[in-house]
Amino acid sequence: MSGYQQEYLKAQTEPEAFWRDQAEQLDWFEKPKTILANDENGIERWFPDGVMNTAWLALDYHCENGRGDKTALIYDSPVTAKRQAYSYFELRDQVAKIAGMLAGMGVEKGDRVVIYMPMVPEAAMAMLACARLGVIHSVVFGGFAPNELAVRIEDAEPKVLMTASCGIEVSKVIPYKPLVDKAIMDSRWKPEKVVVLQRPESAATLDQERDVDWQTAYEAAQPHDCVPVLATDPLYILYTSGTTGKPKGVVRDNGGHAVAMKYSMKAVYDMPQDGVFWAASDVGWVVGHSYIVYAPLIHGCTTILFEGKPVRTPDPGAFWRVCQDYGVNVLFSAPTAFRAIKKEDPEGNYVNEYDLSSLKSIFMAGERLDPPTYDWVVEKTGKPVIDHWWQTETGWAIACDPMGIEVMPVKAGSSTKPTPGYQVEVLDALGNSLKANQQGYVALKRPLPPSCLPTVWRNHDRFETGYLSQFPGYYVSGDGGYLDEEGYLFIMGRIDDVINVAGHRLSTGEMEEIVGAHPAVAECAVIGIHDELKGQLPVGFVVLKDGVDIASDQLAGELVAKVREEIGAVACFKLALVVDRLPKTRSGKILRRTMRQIADGEQYVVPSTIDDPSSLNEIERVLQR
Ligand code: COA
Ligand code: AMP
């Protein structure tokens, strides 16, 4: 039996023994006696009586064990021309003071803190400071508009919001504070304090009652120790797009998450403890949570926090420059980032300018790794390129080529095989297992391994209905795909109203709610269509109300502005087309899949249930224009 098969079978047949062994790798305050038990909702929970602290594992533990002088975090910011390295001692001490600063504001274990920050070291420190106090953080990606921030504030009800005066996007300075002020004004929940990190590129005006200057409060604060928490206590809430306008608060626990993070660093990425790991993502996304902040630090590695883009900061050599300068061993980013590099440097000339001898492998996730991008990166870098599939809900790879267990041959378009701990099956609409190569719903058999969400924040029904009730005994991933005869998994895309734009997960349902609310619009459909660079881009199709007189261009402009204002620039909603009618089934369901196939130029079969086949010609007609 191969190394992978052995490990996979052990995790499948003896999950408690398997994960007990993995838990042994961590420094618990009280080791768990119970490995797996059901909670009051009947959901499987890992290590329920274990007591620990995630910030302790990420920082103090290394300081106590002779690794305090090792570099923990490197900040590299081409947009501000700054670079700074923090040792484990330095990072621990700063995090302890930020924890003290929060405690001084009355923030206690179980309270929430929202973090809306650009890619500065203080963002990671803020997360770790919350973890230190047993406080639940909720990071909101900086590209989201005030409305999105307001929705998250209302749901998480934070005592404190932490922000910076501005973010920097290539050469554009984006003041954050006005966005925060608007979000709080629009939200029914008001944080008691807003802590603002002033950046020299654009200082913010502070409100005397509510706002706190980060630096002043930091200097006055006393360091705070790690607060013991139960493994099942939440570490963070991370909101992600679902099929409706309201994002889902994915809850991550402390213990299961730490165990999975530690396990994955070796099993998935084959990282040595003294290695340098770089996830070129943003702390606002799950990749940033897991692999910029928690996993590399828990494993004792050096992590890199990069405030820049793969291109234009200043050129398509940025990734290779960082890999060379810090001796990066594993680089992890989204395929879209490499497509952007390929577009600007098709011959790979920049790759050859840098010494990439330390780089062992390149991992990709966030969207399907398309074979042309895979081929280009392999050809230009000569490095192993590994596609791995995961979700905000799991926090780590569901399927991968586990470099630390056994390197399996790559099949382009496949994220290889289920990671030990996950039991992946492909089901038909009735929940029956499908045969090899048959496409269906990709589902995970319960129990899910450590780190996977146990609930949706303050909405357990949504967890049950959105993920568990469709196929009893399974978690439904929302992705469609198939397993081939050798057990390789091919993820073919979402089967719900979620799209992936430049590796960012967005809800077309939410965009439809915004577009449909325009006074001129009778009904609409927003679909994700193929885009060479960003993978997918949203396009809106709108039907006007009878008697409305508005020029198509004017309406399109208003709709684009509205989506940008409500969701944010990151939605990349730039095209709205007026049609006479939308293609529907006789029961009134909009045929979004067929519309997408038409837009992508794919072969399609006219659904037998269609009400008016000529409505498809209408879609073809407007797209040709
Ligand atoms: N704060 C404020 N605005 C932001 C932002 C942030 N943190 N991130 C993005 N935006 C804005 C951008 O400025 C841009 O605004 P514009 O319409 O005014 O130009 C818009 O949101 C779209 O941004 P983006 O999708 O990043 O497009 P881009 O053209 O600037 O860059 C890529 C394209 C491919 C280089 C970029 O999307 C990328 O690096 N993607 C990698 C994705 C990734 O890391 N995913 C995480 C999962 S691994
Ligand atoms: P997020 O929760 O933002 O990480 O997005 C998760 C979604 O991104 C998944 O449900 C998939 O649709 C998609 N995704 C992530 N990684 C991959 C991958 N390697 N291959 C195909 N799709 C992926």
Side-chain angles (χ1 to χ4, degrees), residues 544-555:
L544 295 184
K545 284 182 184 155
D546 284 348
V548 165
D549 185 20
I550 183 167
S552 307
D553 284 356
Q554 186 193 332
L555 176 64

Side-chain angles (χ1 to χ4, degrees), residues 196-478:
V196 185
L197 179 77
Q198 295 283 20
R199 303 187 78 191
E201 292 76 14
S202 168
T205 311
L206 304 190
D207 169 286
Q208 297 218 323
E209 285 284 296
R210 187 200 63 189
D211 298 343
V212 176
D213 174 60
W214 186 302
Q215 197 54 32
T216 313
Y218 177 82
E219 277 159 20
Q222 292 303 311
H224 202 294
D225 273 346
C226 292
V227 174
V229 299
L230 278 175
T232 47
D233 284 336
L235 170 65
Y236 67 77
I237 309 165
L238 181 57
Y239 289 87
T240 190
S241 300
T243 48
T244 67
K246 194 171 183 307
K248 292 183 272 206
V250 167
V251 174
R252 184 86 60 225
D253 66 11
N254 271 279
H257 172 252
V259 171
M261 292 298 98
K262 175 75 182 157
Y263 174 68
S264 70
M265 285 304 278
K266 179 77 188 95
V268 178
Y269 302 102
D270 195 25
M271 276 301 291
Q273 207 178 40
D274 55 0
V276 182
F277 194 91
W278 180 26
S281 178
D282 188 290
V283 290
W285 305 113
V286 67
V287 173
H289 281 62
S290 293
Y291 293 107
I292 295 175
V293 183
Y294 289 112
L297 296 177
I298 288 174
H299 199 52
C301 291
T302 300
T303 186
I304 294 178
L305 196 131
F306 176 68
E307 189 180 28
K309 299 254 175 183
V311 291
R312 293 176 287 141
T313 56
D315 57 41
F319 272 23
W320 319 126
R321 195 261 306 157
V322 171
C323 287
Q324 170 191 274
D325 287 359
Y326 308 113
V328 170
N329 303 124
V330 168
L331 165 63
F332 173 1
S333 194
T336 188
F338 294 93
R339 286 197 296 272
I341 296 172
K342 177 180 163 205
K343 187 161 172 253
E344 296 199 8
D345 180 26
E347 301 308 321
N349 294 327
Y350 282 90
V351 185
N352 301 326
E353 276 184 28
Y354 297 94
D355 174 6
L356 299 183
S357 52
S358 319
L359 189 62
K360 288 196 305 175
S361 44
I362 301 174
F363 281 77
M364 304 211 199
E367 53 172 330
R368 180 168 175 265
L369 172 55
D370 52 296
T373 305
Y374 170 78
D375 291 339
W376 186 85
V377 182
V378 170
E379 188 199 315
K380 299 301 173 201
T381 65
K383 306 289 176 186
V385 173
I386 295 114
D387 181 13
H388 61 333
W389 170 57
W390 51 299
Q391 308 187 307
T392 304
E393 288 85 343
T394 64
W396 65 298
I398 310 165
C400 65
D401 200 343
M403 301 306 272
I405 303 173
E406 179 188 342
V407 182
M408 288 181 267
V410 169
K411 292 191 189 183
S414 166
S415 41
T416 316
K417 296 196 181 178
T419 312
Y422 288 97
Q423 302 176 69
V424 179
E425 289 186 30
V426 179
L427 307 177
D428 69 12
L430 299 174
N432 303 309
S433 264
L434 287 168
K435 293 203 188 80
N437 298 313
Q438 288 185 321
Q439 256 195 67
Y441 298 83
V442 180
L444 311 180
K445 193 158 181 243
R446 291 168 63 184
L448 301 178
S451 167
C452 295
L453 80 172
T455 192
V456 168
W457 179 250
R458 288 198 176 149
N459 197 345
H460 190 72
D461 274 359
R462 197 162 177 202
F463 181 51
E464 293 280 348
T465 52
Y467 298 99
L468 303 183
S469 58
Q470 187 176 0
F471 303 122
Y474 290 87
Y475 160 96
V476 58
S477 69

Side-chain angles (χ1 to χ4, degrees), residues 105-123:
M105 292 171 199
V107 181
E108 292 172 358
K109 180 177 164 184
D111 286 341
R112 273 80 54 212
V113 165
V114 161
I115 300 171
Y116 183 70
M117 294 186 72
M119 284 287 284
V120 289
E122 287 80 358

